[in-house]
Amino acid sequence: MSTRDVVIIGSGPAGLTAAIYTARANLAPLLIEGVHAGGQLALTTEVENYPGFHHAIMGPDLIKEMRAQAGRFGTEFLHGDVSAVDIKRTPFTLTIGGERSVETRTLIIASGASANMLGLKSERRLLGHGVSTCATCDGFFFRGKELVVVGGGDAAMEEALFLTKFATRVTVVHRRDALRASKIMQDRARKNAKIGFIWNTVVEDILGDPVVTGVRLRDVKSGAVTENRCDGVFVAIGHSPNTKLFKDQLKLDDKGYVLTHDGTKTSVPGVFAGGDVQDHVYRQAITAAGSGCMAAMDCERYLESSGH
């Protein structure tokens, strides 16, 4: 088994940008793109805030263009999920699908983070058609609409406040009778005349076909079921970084995100991380792409300093 110079885990904007840069540096990267390739952008409809596309571009089309660009410079793609990693010794070893093994001198982790969902069939069906997990990404499309935000933490309050720039009304649905958000975020949301609250309530179903037209709600105390009309549902119950494989091998923060320092370096020399797997603040395609570029450059310098 030959040892690669660079292996990249993840095929979203961070992983693909890292592939473009390492490929152009003649490092012949191998990108493991996963069974569900493309990251969060693959689930996104129109993208209007990525530079260079003034007429907007569909998320899957943007990923397709990035992938083609990486391939043009010699990136090799491997379809499959990484089932195990060993980064305690060099070269690092990755197992794909429980079968094939790959060795590499450096590793770029760009496996992203997954938005926590409610688990409803209608939620998946209407994702990108009125259901969203990112107000910054999609809020503009709901100008003059009535929206529902699900959640009670800081993320939910941030989403609700941002959406008031576009929506006529934002209703926060929370399963408890008090918010978990910080005091300052609670105060901001409560003082905003466009934001209302429905307490002790869960979303049982999201209504509409082919787009969202409302939600079916259930009061967790009385059991009463009601239907509320709305034009969009923003699920804001947090994100989970895709870092289970690295739990006992890399330093992670208390939420499971990879800790980086001096750019994209991790606690293991030769292992770098970019994108949402280490960023729980910005979570944008453009910031992910930027950190993918940084990871590639850090990786190239590491290989040069170690004589490869």
Side-chain angles (χ1 to χ4, degrees):
M1 179 173 56
S2 61
T3 300
R4 314 287 303 220
D5 281 326
V6 184
V7 169
I8 301 165
I9 301 176
S11 55
L16 290 171
T17 303
I20 291 167
Y21 273 77
T22 51
R24 292 185 75 252
N26 294 323
L27 294 175
L30 171 66
L31 187 147
I32 304 171
E33 55 185 350
V35 174
H36 301 290
Q40 293 292 307
L41 273 185
L43 304 173
T44 305
T45 50
E46 286 190 330
V47 178
E48 289 194 322
N49 54 5
Y50 197 90
F53 300 94
H54 71 287
H55 285 308
I57 183 171
M58 298 296 285
D61 291 337
L62 180 55
I63 287 295
K64 183 179 178 181
E65 290 293 321
M66 288 183 175
R67 191 181 189 280
Q69 188 176 3
R72 173 190 168 200
F73 296 113
T75 299
E76 181 183 344
F77 296 91
L78 179 59
H79 190 68
D81 287 330
V82 178
S83 53
V85 297
D86 182 358
I87 55 175
K88 293 181 178 179
R89 58 184 65 83
T90 54
F92 309 129
T93 304
L94 290 76
T95 305
I96 295 89
E99 299 175 355
R100 178 175 176 178
S101 292
V102 175
E103 286 188 349
T104 181
R105 296 183 180 90
T106 63
L107 176 65
I108 295 176
I109 303 169
S111 49
S114 301
N116 298 332
M117 306 296 281
L118 301 171
L120 304 172
K121 289 183 179 180
S122 55
E123 178 183 44
R124 287 291 177 186
R125 175 173 56 82
L126 292 165
L127 192 62
H129 299 277
V131 173
S132 174
T133 58
C134 179
T136 309
C137 310
D138 300 327
F140 178 81
F141 301 113
F142 294 90
R143 189 176 296 278
K145 305 293 187 180
E146 294 187 14
L147 303 175
V148 163
V149 171
V150 184
D154 278 351
M157 297 307 102
E158 288 175 6
E159 297 275 283
L161 287 162
F162 182 84
L163 290 170
T164 59
K165 297 179 181 180
F166 311 101
T168 56
R169 182 70 175 168
V170 177
T171 301
V172 175
V173 176
H174 187 41
R175 63 168 55 244
R176 298 180 178 87
D177 59 4
L179 298 170
R180 293 178 290 104
S182 59
K183 183 66 164 58
I184 189 170
M185 292 304 296
Q186 290 191 43
D187 289 345
R188 287 176 183 172
R190 291 177 187 276
K191 289 177 182 177
N192 193 303
K194 285 188 174 182
I195 298 177
F197 297 87
I198 298 179
W199 307 103
N200 300 309
T201 299
V202 294
V203 176
E204 281 211 329
D205 200 9
I206 301 173
L207 311 174
D209 186 14
V211 297
V212 170
T213 57
V215 288
R216 183 174 297 123
L217 306 176
R218 177 175 57 84
D219 187 300
V220 296
K221 289 189 174 181
S222 68
V225 175
T226 57
E227 291 187 2
N228 284 39
R229 196 197 75 77
C230 68
D231 303 293
V233 177
F234 285 76
V235 181
I237 53 177
H239 288 72
S240 297
N242 301 319
T243 56
K244 288 182 180 179
L245 290 170
F246 307 99
K247 186 176 181 181
D248 299 317
Q249 302 187 65
L250 274 181
K251 286 185 178 179
L252 310 176
D253 69 12
D254 56 356
K255 294 181 179 178
Y257 289 86
V258 177
L259 288 170
T260 53
H261 64 93
D262 299 324
T264 62
K265 298 175 184 177
T266 71
S267 58
V268 175
V271 178
F272 308 89
D276 290 6
V277 77
Q278 51 85 226
D279 168 28
H280 56 83
V281 178
Y282 300 103
R283 293 198 298 261
Q284 299 297 300
I286 187 64
T287 53
S291 63
C293 163
M294 293 164 60
M297 296 178 73
D298 289 342
C299 178
E300 182 183 358
R301 289 167 182 160
Y302 173 84
L303 286 168
E304 287 177 351
S305 67
S306 56
H308 295 290

